[in-house]
Amino acid sequence: MTMPLPNTSRPIEKAKLRDTIYDTLLEWIVDGTLEPGERIRDAELAEHLGVSRTPVREALQQLGHEGLIETMASRSTCVAPLDIAGADHLYPIVWTLDAFAVRLAAAHYGRTERDQMAIANAKLSRALSKGDAKSALTADADFHNTLAIASGNPELVKILGGLRTQLRRLELAYFHTGFGQSSVDEHASIQAALDAGDVDRAVGATLDHWQRGLERFRVGISDLSSTRLA
């Protein structure tokens, strides 16, 4: 039985081979094309993408480090299961580092950041109104990434990026629950505090946003699970 891979004819530039393959596989895992537990065959992936097995293995190794791919004792490789309980471990780390990023970013906050955040939040609102969870997830990430980049700390950006990658599949399920609209208002509160130059309020609003988000996630996933079992 072959893997359920989408049709693609996009050529892959050799200079960006591994990164492109990584991004493609990440997208397929996050959006559910490759479901939890799906067995991964590097030879089949390589043939489908029109590349050698080496960059595919390198991309899979990176996804493994991020907890999205698992190699079993039998040496078979599969998409990792959704770890709902893992949200309780990841969210506190993310809100601590995101609040730190906001504090650093406040010193560099200006028109560019203000415009980028406003655009991202508007996109988030539109995506949620259309029930487009995938676009909502992208817009939400754009909002937070703007501040992470503005922090001026590339290591912080890298760490937060890795953590958010682990949260993406969970948050995709969260945005499917319809609870995401509260995020739009909370984003606006963070931005309003930065516009006013009130760093402490912006940090507090960031912590509140993530903490409330975790609570909504728990409720939303519980409701979603109950609906599926009904």
Side-chain angles (χ1 to χ4, degrees), residues 96-158:
T96 299
L97 292 178
D98 211 43
F100 179 50
V102 169
R103 187 171 292 281
L104 293 177
H108 310 286
Y109 182 77
R111 177 176 295 179
T112 298
E113 290 72 28
R114 183 183 301 113
D115 290 347
Q116 289 175 347
M117 291 166 65
I119 290 170
N121 211 28
K123 287 181 178 178
L124 173 59
S125 183
R126 286 195 298 271
L128 290 170
S129 68
K130 296 177 182 177
D132 185 349
K134 189 174 179 181
S135 294
L137 182 65
T138 299
D140 182 71
D142 288 344
F143 180 91
H144 290 285
N145 286 341
T146 296
L147 289 170
I149 293 170
S151 74
N153 188 322
E155 290 303 316
L156 183 58
V157 174
K158 186 187 303 182

Side-chain angles (χ1 to χ4, degrees), residues 10 13 24 28 58 66 99 147 175-176 198 211 225 228-229:
R10 291 178 296 177
E13 298 177 24
T24 300
W28 290 349
E58 290 174 347
E66 294 168 354
L147 289 170
F175 280 121
H176 273 301
D198 191 335
Q211 290 163 5
S225 298
R228 287 175 174 172
L229 290 173

Side-chain angles (χ1 to χ4, degrees), residues 168-195:
R168 279 178 67 176
R169 285 198 300 168
L170 298 174
E171 292 195 326
L172 184 64
Y174 164 74
F175 280 121
H176 273 301
T177 66
F179 280 80
Q181 187 59 44
S182 296
S183 291
V184 176
D185 299 331
E186 290 161 8
H187 286 175
S189 295
I190 295 170
Q191 184 156 15
L194 288 169
D195 287 344

